Amino acid sequence: MDRVPRIVVGVDGSPSSRAALRWAVRYAGLVGGRVEAVSAWEVPGMASWSAPAVDTDFDEGEAERGLVEEVRAVLGEDGGSLVRERLVRGNAAEVLVDAAQGAEMLVVGSRGHGSFRRALLGSVSQQVAHHAPCPVTIIRPDMPAG
């Protein structure tokens, strides 16, 4: 039975995330695959007692629309229509590793938007590289397009 290869890409709005999305779509075109753009959100303080586990500013519907808009902004309307977007609550690395179960490839940017950007630079890409159940491609924002 033939199955369509699934390419999972982490999307967070950063330059390397946008480069990863473009790369994932090109790769999917080469292997006849489909792209699943995954974005994670986490309530501040959920993983620790440092803050209340409530984010009154977060609107999940707005975040889902933002993800769709981000994909369309990067790929255009035609390219965006080839991508399935998923917004998932949880730690970004864990969400991406879970989403990559059964995938052909997991694609992430080398530097995303995190709350401790300087201290954890690249931590999501490092974590998924160590724990993903499939091959991982890490894209820098300055990598050539072609």
Side-chain angles (χ1 to χ4, degrees):
M1 178 170 122
D2 292 339
R3 70 172 188 90
V4 176
R6 187 169 56 94
I7 315 307
V8 175
V9 58
V11 176
D12 70 0
S14 66
S16 62
S17 157
R18 291 190 289 273
L21 179 58
R22 287 188 293 269
W23 192 95
V25 169
R26 284 193 305 274
Y27 179 77
L30 293 173
V31 299
R34 59 185 169 90
V35 175
E36 184 175 303
V38 178
S39 186
W41 67 276
E42 194 169 26
V43 175
M46 236 173 84
S48 71
W49 293 99
S50 64
V54 175
D55 187 352
T56 57
D57 294 334
F58 187 78
D59 179 330
E60 192 170 354
E62 186 176 310
E64 287 174 345
R65 286 186 295 279
L67 174 58
V68 171
E69 289 171 10
E70 173 74 9
V71 168
R72 299 301 185 273
V74 172
L75 302 174
E77 199 61 41
D78 290 341
S81 68
L82 304 173
V83 176
R84 176 178 173 240
E85 298 91 355
R86 285 186 51 218
L87 179 68
V88 181
R89 181 177 176 171
N91 170 276
E94 292 173 10
V95 164
L96 291 171
V97 167
D98 287 347
Q101 295 294 328
E104 166 94 4
M105 175 81 62
L106 172 59
V107 185
V108 293
S110 61
R111 298 178 180 180
H113 290 302
S115 56
F116 301 103
R117 196 171 179 177
R118 292 189 199 282
L120 300 177
L121 209 52
S123 66
V124 170
S125 59
Q126 289 173 340
Q127 289 177 45
V128 300
H130 289 289
H131 301 290
C134 64
V136 175
T137 299
I138 301 171
I139 305 295
R140 292 192 334 251
D142 56 349
M143 290 183 76

